[in-house]
C-alpha cells in the first residue's frame, strides 16, 4: 500500500508541474529593433540577436534565447532583412567591427548576434554554439 501511495504522489506531483512555457517572438515584441534603429538604444553595451523566419537553427534555440532575453534589459531582437545581405559573395564579416553606421552593417547568415559597445559593433557571433556560449547558456 505504501508503494502505491508513493507512486500516486509522484505521478500527481509531476502532473501538477504543468508544461514548460513555450515562447514566441511576440513575447518579446517590445525588444525588437528595426534595421534603421540598431544604434538607437541608449545603453552603452547591449546585444542584438538576428534571426530569420524559417531558419531551422534559429528555431532550435528560440526558447533559450527568448527566455534569456526576458531577464536581460540589454538584449534586443532584429529580424534578418534584405538590408543586411552582404554586397558581395566573398564578404569578410570582420569588416563590420567598429562600424557605427547602419549602412555598413552586413551579415552572412542567421542566427547572428551583434555586441554593441559605445555605439559601435564590438563583436559578432555567428551560429547557435557561439551565441549560446557567449550568453553562458552552454
Amino acid at each position: 500500500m505504501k508503494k502505491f501511495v508513493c507512486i500516486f504522489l509522484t505521478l500527481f506531483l509531476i502532473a501538477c508541474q504543468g508544461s514548460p512555457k513555450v515562447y514566441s517572438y511576440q513575447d518579446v515584441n517590445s525588444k525588437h529593433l528595426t534595421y534603421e534603429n540598431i544604434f538607437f538604444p541608449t545603453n552603452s553595451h547591449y546585444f542584438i540577436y538576428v534571426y530569420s523566419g524559417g531558419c531551422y537553427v534559429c528555431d532550435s534555440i528560440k526558447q533559450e534565447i527568448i527566455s534569456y532575453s526576458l531577464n536581460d534589459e540589454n538584449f534586443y531582437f532584429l529580424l534578418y532583412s534584405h538590408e543586411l545581405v552582404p554586397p558581395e559573395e566573398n564578404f569578410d564579416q570582420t569588416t563590420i567591427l567598429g562600424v557605427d553606421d547602419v549602412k555598413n552593417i552586413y551579415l552572412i547568415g542567421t542566427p547572428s548576434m551583434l555586441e554593441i559597445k559605445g555605439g559601435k559593433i564590438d563583436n559578432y557571433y555567428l551560429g547557435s554554439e557561439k551565441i549560446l556560449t557567449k550568453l553562458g547558456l552552454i
Side-chain angles (χ1 to χ4, degrees):
M1 183 67 172
K2 287 182 185 180
K3 195 175 192 178
F4 173 75
V5 171
C6 287
I7 291 172
F8 176 76
L9 285 175
T10 302
L11 291 173
F12 178 75
L13 290 173
I14 291 171
C16 288
Q17 288 178 355
S19 15
K21 172 77 173 145
V22 176
Y23 296 106
S24 77
Y25 289 115
Q26 290 179 351
D27 294 321
V28 288
N29 247 1
S30 64
K31 295 178 131 276
H32 273 80
L33 301 176
T34 62
Y35 172 74
E36 293 81 18
N37 66 8
I38 287 174
F39 295 110
F40 182 73
T42 57
N43 324 32
S44 63
H45 182 216
Y46 58 95
F47 294 94
I48 301 173
Y49 175 72
V50 184
Y51 69 96
S52 61
C55 166
Y56 171 78
V57 179
C58 300
D59 286 343
S60 73
I61 63 172
K62 178 168 105 176
Q63 298 305 309
E64 293 167 280
I65 295 293
I66 293 174
S67 178
Y68 176 90
S69 76
L70 291 172
N71 296 308
D72 189 334
E73 65 184 35
N74 297 313
F75 196 94
Y76 300 93
F77 292 84
L78 177 65
L79 182 61
Y80 188 78
S81 65
H82 69 278
E83 290 98 349
L84 297 168
V85 176
E88 57 191 60
E89 189 174 316
N90 296 323
F91 178 73
D92 179 3
Q93 191 67 66
T94 61
T95 61
I96 69 167
L97 298 178
V99 166
D100 62 357
D101 183 349
V102 295
K103 294 175 185 165
N104 297 320
I105 298 176
Y106 304 103
L107 299 172
I108 58 174
T110 59
S112 293
M113 186 172 71
L114 302 174
E115 184 172 8
I116 312 292
K117 284 185 182 175
K120 296 180 180 180
I121 296 177
D122 185 65
N123 214 332
Y124 72 92
Y125 307 89
L126 176 62
S128 61
E129 187 175 333
K130 288 182 181 176
I131 293 169
L132 295 175
T133 299
K134 176 61 182 175
L135 299 176
L137 299 173
I138 58 171

